[in-house]
Amino acid sequence: MAAPTATKITAEVVAEHGLKPDEYKRLLEILGREPRICELGIFSVMWSEHCSYKSSRVWLKTLPTSGPQVIQGPGENAGVVDLGDDDAVVFKMESHNHPSYIEPFQGAATGVGGIMRDVFTMGARPVANMNALRFGSPEHPKTRHLVNGVVAGIAHYGNCTGVPTIGGETNFDAGYNNNILVNAMCVGLAKKDKIFYSAAKGVGLPVVYVGSKTGRDGIHGATMASAEFDDKSEEKRPTVQVGDPFTEKLLIEACLELMATDCIIAIQDMGAAGLTSSTSEMADKGGVGIELNLDLVPQREEGMTAYEMMLSESQERMLMMLKPGREAEAQAIIAKWGLDFAVIGITTDTGRMVIKHLGQIEADLPVPVLANSAPMYERPWVEPKKQQEILPEWVPAPNALLGTLKDMMGTHHLASRRWIWEQYDHMVMGDTVGRPGGDAGVVRVHGTKKGIAISCDVTPRYVLADPEMGTKQAVVETWRNLTAVGADPLAITDNMNFANPERPEIMGQFVASVRGMAEACKALDYPVVSGNVSLYNETNGISIPPTPAIGGVGLVPDWTKIADIKLKGVTPQGENSMLIVIGAERGHLGQSLYQNHATGKFEGAPPPVDLEAEIKAGRLIRALIRSGIALSVHDCSDGGLLVTIAEMALAGGAHGGSRNATGVGVELYPYEGKLPAHAIWFGEDQGRYVVEVTPQKAEEVLERARLLELPARIVGRTGGDSLTLKGETALPLTELRATHEGWMKGLMGG
């Protein structure tokens, strides 16, 4: 709704803008007067959790963010990492949780659009998307509707812009029943000397608006994203932005063409808080003031107020500062692509943001204060309680290992997500060489041998049980996924999804999570270069599980030598291949999917992470891949060793990974150690990989592992069309596939 200029500022109006009484008092002290309604709106979004990181910044500063490979760390629209040969990879992950729950199609679609703009505003062409999705229990009445809408929104936006969606993850858990998570990640390619930044350095620079017209959609979007839900959340539908991927495609091409000139001094997309955040942040970084005439803003609705224009989060818009005198050249390029172009202001030496509309001054604010004065809270927190380790013998053994495997592979935890990823175009652009369904997606750096590997991951049940260890595991899991395709892990982006930080136990989860991330990233030389924090993810006081999603990016030196999870089965010499598990086996069943299957509970400590062992195993795996010794590789994660082998078997053979795959059978060798057999087959011990090799290379691989003091053993050999284990009824792959592929189809109705 419109906020008239003359709106009286009452306690109710302040509360509606998400400001607490002490924050409003601080605002009055800063201004030395009562704010105009437009000024109140501007401060409300800039001081929102979503824009200011007021509860998290003190902890985020403890993360490792630099390294020889880092060109740009946190603080810009996206992180930038060196790929060598003048190439750079640009990437970030962001959340669109609240909007996607309220309006799943547009919420998810605009989440994809927003993260793509963060990438191409840096001068990079988007080359790959990923997403991390969390939905409620499959039995919840809203789940099917939300899955349908979110997946359709992601597919629509990504497919229409012509950027491949090459992987991701989707989980179902009752903890997300009323607050789903939609985290979108985008990766782009740029030249190192052609990175664009957002600092508007210079006085008298024309402030240029490019893209779609401004409407009333998305007003208070940032504020809405910084508040918890209640039963009336559906009424917030007008706060959800509406996206147009066809305009986004034009905007990408127009911006990249304009960037090929030397017209642009600074550029920023209009994301959360729209014109407000883009103008104030650009001016602040450049140490200048800014004057805007909102009469000149392209508008798609009549009678828009200054308040509405400054707070609108209409999509597909960019703000640029150009070199003076280059306006006509820039306009010609933008017009060629059929987009709006308008000079709406100028940079000044006043250090103030002055907003004019219809001959009136609607805001006159000090830029540094606006950009940097948000309250910074070191909120009270309590250390999360550690849970005791669950000994393997405490979890009952199954009647049959292979029968249990079949049952588990048909649950919502492990069932195939093919129904989802087949709706995404993962081959558009023609550079995808590592497709969905494996450990990491891979795209080629066009015209070179290099590839970029991408993975995103987190196991929320681990984080809930132990936020520090669980987040450490999430970081390492992405590192392992990149390693498993043959990539050198470079850096991460994160999306920290937590509940209400004003509750000490939730803030404690966040603090411990950051601690775990920092430890893992330091040890692995795997810095955090960008990210997003999404707090207040709860409804009626019920919190989501803490979910620090990690997006990892790695460099593949030669994309023709990547590995995948597909068992080859028969070696070039016509022999059946061998399967070796590398990494320590302790039979850890705490927080495991098997524990849940056997007892109906998730209990105990999550599996520990040994960072030293991870580094050694990673080096070995990458060496085995690059030398051609590893025929296929898969890291062990959810469900343990037996699930890992089953996934490799189902993906293998003719048409590997497709609906028509024949699969490759495996004769499993019985475990002969001291631990319970079910703990070895289903335990979720970390730092393990299953590697397929020829019989001739098996002993060499075992010896190389021994030299590194890494446990390794042969666990089976390929052959036939079933999984077999002495003393067990054989499990035909056709039967396993039907179970594995059937659950999602059943949920979504075909």
Side-chain angles (χ1 to χ4, degrees):
M1 79 175 200
T5 301
T7 298
K8 183 172 172 57
I9 309 293
T10 64
E12 288 74 26
V13 169
V14 171
E16 284 170 7
H17 283 75
L19 293 177
K20 294 189 166 56
D22 61 324
E23 292 178 336
Y24 184 63
K25 184 181 175 187
R26 179 173 177 176
L27 173 54
L28 292 175
E29 290 168 356
I30 288 170
L31 292 182
R33 59 175 171 83
E34 188 176 272
R36 304 171 177 94
I37 187 64
C38 184
E39 293 172 332
L40 179 66
I42 286 170
F43 269 99
S44 77
V45 292
M46 292 303 291
W47 285 11
S48 69
E49 193 73 58
H50 191 78
C51 292
S52 74
Y53 294 84
K54 58 189 176 187
S55 299
S56 58
R57 189 174 290 183
V58 66
W59 299 106
L60 297 177
K61 288 178 178 178
T62 65
L63 291 170
T65 58
S66 60
Q69 69 271 46
V70 178
I71 296 171
Q72 175 64 54
E76 273 290 341
N77 289 291
V80 186
V81 173
D82 195 344
L83 287 177
D85 308 312
D86 296 323
D87 294 315
V89 61
V90 180
F91 61 100
K92 192 181 182 185
M93 186 188 286
E94 274 212 343
S95 59
H96 235 219
N97 304 334
H98 287 25
S100 299
Y101 183 76
I102 296 167
E103 214 311 303
F105 182 92
Q106 289 295 352
T110 53
V112 174
I115 196 62
M116 285 173 61
R117 284 193 298 283
D118 278 338
V119 166
F120 74 78
T121 193
M122 301 290 294
R125 177 174 290 281
V127 294
N129 289 332
M130 274 201 173
N131 49 76
L133 312 176
R134 316 279 163 190
F135 297 103
S137 163
E139 294 76 35
H140 191 272
K142 279 193 173 181
T143 295
R144 182 177 169 185
H145 159 73
L146 290 167
V147 173
N148 250 326
V150 166
V151 171
I154 291 170
H156 173 68
Y157 212 100
N159 295 355
C160 291
T161 51
V163 178
T165 300
I166 64 168
E169 57 169 350
T170 303
N171 292 146
F172 298 86
D173 186 280
Y176 305 102
N177 277 352
N178 298 301
N179 198 129
I180 64 172
L181 302 183
V182 175
N183 296 170
M185 180 176 174
C186 181
V187 176
L189 272 170
K191 293 296 180 183
K192 280 193 291 193
D193 60 347
K194 292 289 186 181
I195 304 297
F196 286 78
Y197 299 96
S198 58
K201 294 179 180 176
V203 173
L205 307 179
V207 179
V208 175
Y209 174 119
V210 171
S212 288
K213 289 179 170 60
T214 294
R216 290 188 171 97
D217 55 318
I219 294 172
H220 288 303
T223 311
M224 178 268 291
S226 307
E228 59 190 78
F229 275 178
D230 55 31
D231 294 328
K232 296 183 178 178
S233 297
E234 301 267 339
E235 296 173 9
K236 297 181 180 179
R237 198 174 297 272
T239 63
V240 178
Q241 309 93 327
V242 178
D244 178 356
F246 300 105
T247 301
E248 180 101 339
K249 175 64 176 170
L250 297 173
L251 189 60
I252 292 172
E253 300 304 331
C255 287
L256 291 176
E257 184 173 338
L258 187 54
M259 287 166 166
T261 71
D262 63 345
C263 294
I264 300 173
I265 288 179
I267 181 169
Q268 177 140 323
D269 75 299
M270 291 188 229
L275 260 174
T276 291
S277 62
S278 53
T279 50
S280 60
E281 289 171 9
M282 292 175 83
D284 179 63
K285 287 177 181 176
V288 297
I290 194 162
E291 189 172 300
L292 297 182
N293 181 356
L294 299 187
D295 300 353
L296 304 173
V297 170
Q299 300 160 53
R300 68 167 181 261
E301 298 184 48
E302 292 183 5
M304 290 191 71
T305 64
Y307 177 99
E308 289 173 323
M309 281 186 272
M310 291 304 294
L311 269 64
S312 167
E313 294 184 10
S314 295
Q315 299 290 285
E316 295 86 41
R317 301 180 301 158
M318 305 291 276
L319 199 70
M320 304 176 185
M321 277 60 169
L322 301 182
K323 291 181 178 177
R326 307 294 294 275
E327 295 93 328
E329 182 183 348
Q331 185 167 11
I333 291 171
I334 300 301
K336 183 181 84 173
W337 293 98
L339 298 168
D340 277 290
F341 177 101
V343 179
I344 65 169
I346 194 165
T347 61
T348 67
D349 61 1
T350 64
R352 300 187 73 81
M353 176 193 277
V354 180
I355 311 293
K356 296 177 180 177
H357 184 229
L358 301 176
Q360 300 287 319
I361 291 180
E362 297 285 356
D364 184 352
L365 301 167
V367 167
V369 168
L370 180 57
N372 302 304
S373 68
M376 289 293 139
Y377 296 124
E378 195 164 339
R379 297 195 184 277
W381 59 280
V382 294
E383 188 68 40
K385 289 179 182 172
K386 300 281 187 186
Q387 298 198 40
Q388 78 172 119
E389 186 177 345
I390 301 290
L391 297 180
E393 53 269 26
W394 293 356
V395 183
N399 293 325
L401 289 164
L402 296 180
T404 299
L405 170 70
K406 179 186 166 184
D407 292 344
M408 287 174 62
M409 293 283 281
T411 64
H412 67 268
H413 297 296
L414 292 170
S416 169
R417 303 310 194 234
R418 183 187 302 276
W419 183 91
I420 294 174
W421 56 256
E422 280 192 342
Q423 296 185 52
Y424 307 146
D425 190 337
H426 54 271
M427 295 305 294
V428 66
M429 298 181 85
D431 283 320
T432 305
V433 290
R435 303 185 183 189
D439 285 320
V442 185
V443 290
R444 298 181 294 194
V445 177
H446 206 74
T448 76
K449 279 197 165 185
K450 292 182 295 193
I452 303 168
I454 312 157
S455 171
C456 58
D457 218 293
V458 62
T459 309
R461 64 181 185 275
Y462 291 175
V463 186
L464 183 60
D466 184 337
E468 184 172 349
M469 186 61 74
T471 306
K472 196 184 296 184
Q473 187 277 336
V475 171
V476 174
E477 176 65 20
T478 64
W479 191 91
R480 219 181 288 133
N481 287 339
L482 299 174
T483 294
V485 298
D488 292 311
L490 291 174
I492 70 166
T493 182
D494 62 62
N495 207 138
M496 305 291 279
N497 307 275
F498 288 77
N500 187 343
E502 296 168 48
R503 292 161 54 194
E505 69 275 17
I506 301 299
M507 200 64 220
Q509 291 175 343
F510 185 88
V511 172
S513 179
V514 170
R515 220 167 39 222
M517 189 187 306
E519 186 182 344
C521 289
K522 284 173 185 170
L524 299 172
D525 187 22
Y526 195 39
V528 185
V529 297
S530 60
N532 173 243
V533 176
S534 174
L535 302 176
Y536 297 94
N537 287 290
E538 58 183 63
T539 301
N540 293 327
I542 300 172
S543 309
I544 63 158
T547 311
I550 306 296
V553 172
L555 171 65
V556 177
D558 183 349
W559 65 263
T560 64
K561 294 180 179 178
I562 58 172
D564 56 36
I565 72 168
K566 303 168 186 176
L567 288 183
K568 308 305 178 285
V570 179
T571 71
Q573 292 75 36
E575 302 170 294
N576 291 333
S577 51
M578 312 299 288
L579 299 185
I580 296 174
V581 61
I582 295 171
E585 297 180 287
R586 298 186 177 89
H588 192 101
L589 290 174
Q591 299 296 331
S592 69
L593 294 183
Y594 176 78
Q595 180 196 47
N596 182 252
H597 182 81
T599 68
K601 299 174 182 175
F602 288 114
E603 291 181 323
V609 171
D610 182 337
L611 292 167
E612 257 186 60
E614 293 279 3
I615 292 167
K616 289 193 291 188
R619 285 174 182 157
L620 175 59
I621 295 298
R622 288 191 292 274
L624 294 176
I625 293 170
R626 292 170 190 178
S627 64
I629 293 174
L631 304 177
S632 66
V633 178
H634 194 10
D635 84 303
C636 294
S637 55
D638 276 351
L641 176 61
L642 197 49
V643 168
T644 303
I645 294 170
E647 289 172 345
M648 297 174 79
L650 289 174
H655 315 291
S658 74
R659 285 183 183 275
N660 303 314
T662 53
V664 170
V666 177
E667 178 193 351
L668 299 162
Y669 294 167
Y671 170 70
E672 295 177 347
K674 295 178 181 177
L675 291 165
H678 67 284
I680 289 298
W681 290 113
F682 293 117
E684 296 181 7
D685 304 307
Q686 299 296 295
R688 295 179 300 157
Y689 302 81
V690 174
V691 184
E692 180 187 17
V693 299
T694 64
Q696 292 79 13
K697 290 292 183 180
E699 190 53 47
E700 179 187 336
V701 171
L702 293 173
E703 180 58 26
R704 288 174 72 166
R706 276 196 289 269
L707 289 171
L708 292 168
E709 298 180 328
L710 288 169
R713 66 183 180 95
I714 297 173
V715 290
R717 68 174 178 179
T718 59
D721 55 8
S722 302
L723 297 179
T724 62
L725 179 63
K726 189 176 178 181
E728 298 257 343
T729 303
L731 176 56
L733 291 181
T734 51
E735 198 176 303
L736 182 58
R737 188 180 310 280
T739 302
H740 187 53
E741 300 273 358
W743 179 83
M744 196 85 205
K745 291 182 197 172
L747 175 70
M748 304 310 297

